[in-house]
């Protein structure tokens, strides 16, 4: 799978599963301001794990959620988040580029020092290079203040690719095309 296809595969469930909560009565807490390390793993997959760093603050977290929400609302027929004893559970059904994805995400942690998102998804009519089912884990750890020269929203991905997540048009460009 190409690097662009790999990035789309990683971003698709995360854009669907986590930010889609903005329209719900239950909102996820905002993360502690500063630099977060995000490690995404697909257990049992031959693909590579991805680690990135994200500089954020409360305004950016809220802006990111509200910017992605219209895309999730348009693409998802189900967005259900519930508070649990250990965190949150989010179930979604979304259709992007003709592929229907049913996802279940379990979110745990304190959003101040670390949190984890475990996602299981089933894809109907998967796009080329996208498996029929997938498991993914996002482990996030707070590293401290953002680095010199970083501003909230800056994210550094593998290969030194740097973008600011508040620029939603760049994120949309990584999504699968019809």
């Amino acid at each position: 799978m190409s690097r662009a296809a790999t990035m789309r595969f990683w971003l698709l469930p995360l854009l669907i599963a986590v930010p889609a909560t903005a329209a719900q009565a239950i909102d996820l807490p905002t993360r502690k301001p500063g630099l977060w390390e995000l490690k995404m793993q697909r257990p049992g997959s031959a693909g590579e794990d991805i680690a990135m760093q994200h500089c954020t603050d409360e305004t950016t977290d809220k802006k990111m959620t509200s910017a992605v929400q219209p895309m999730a609302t348009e693409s998802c027929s189900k967005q259900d988040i519930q508070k649990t004893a250990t965190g949150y559970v989010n179930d979604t059904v979304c259709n992007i580029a003709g592929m229907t994805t049913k996802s279940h995400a379990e979110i745990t942690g304190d959003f101040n020092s670390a949190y984890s998102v475990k996602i299981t998804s089933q894809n109907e009519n998967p796009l080329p290079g996208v498996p029929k089912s997938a498991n993914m884990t996002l482990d996030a750890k707070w590293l401290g203040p953002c680095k010199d020269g970083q501003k909230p929203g800056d994210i550094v991905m593998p290969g030194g690719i740097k973008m600011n997540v508040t620029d939603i048009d760049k994120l949309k460009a990584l999504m699968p095309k019809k």
Side-chain angles (χ1 to χ4, degrees):
M1 193 178 330
S2 71
R3 176 154 309 271
T6 300
M7 290 307 298
R8 283 192 297 265
F9 178 75
W10 284 102
L11 286 173
L12 180 63
L14 291 175
L15 288 175
I16 291 168
V18 180
T21 62
Q24 306 301 317
I26 299 171
D27 288 328
L28 292 176
T30 55
R31 294 176 291 171
K32 181 178 183 174
L35 187 61
W36 286 84
E37 178 180 62
L38 308 171
K39 291 184 179 178
M40 293 179 274
Q41 303 110 19
R42 292 183 297 162
S45 169
E48 62 188 76
D49 293 343
I50 293 181
M52 58 184 80
Q53 291 187 345
H54 183 200
C55 173
T56 193
D57 63 7
E58 182 177 355
T59 302
T60 302
D61 262 11
K62 288 180 180 179
K63 183 177 179 182
M64 199 169 75
T65 299
S66 65
V68 173
Q69 184 56 38
M71 187 170 44
T73 299
E74 179 182 307
S75 302
C76 302
S77 61
K78 177 182 178 182
Q79 299 178 63
D80 181 30
I81 188 164
Q82 300 293 322
K83 177 93 173 97
T84 67
T86 58
Y88 302 86
V89 171
N90 189 16
D91 291 298
T92 60
V93 177
C94 301
N95 187 303
I96 297 177
M99 179 176 75
T100 300
T101 301
K102 296 177 183 177
S103 296
H104 175 80
E106 295 179 8
I107 306 160
T108 57
D110 65 11
F111 295 89
N112 285 310
S113 61
Y115 64 92
S116 180
V117 182
K118 294 183 186 331
I119 303 169
T120 57
S121 62
Q122 299 294 319
N123 300 309
E124 295 175 14
N125 305 318
L127 299 170
V130 176
K132 190 149 180 81
S133 64
N135 294 318
M136 184 183 311
T137 300
L138 168 73
D139 289 314
K141 179 173 72 171
W142 190 78
L143 300 177
C146 294
K147 295 178 181 176
D148 288 341
Q150 285 184 326
K151 62 182 181 190
D154 282 351
I155 188 165
V156 179
M157 295 181 278
I161 299 169
K162 182 179 176 184
M163 63 182 284
N164 192 291
V165 295
T166 59
D167 185 354
I168 195 65
D169 291 332
K170 287 182 182 178
L171 285 176
K172 286 180 182 176
L174 292 173
M175 296 301 292
K177 306 289 187 258
K178 286 186 179 182

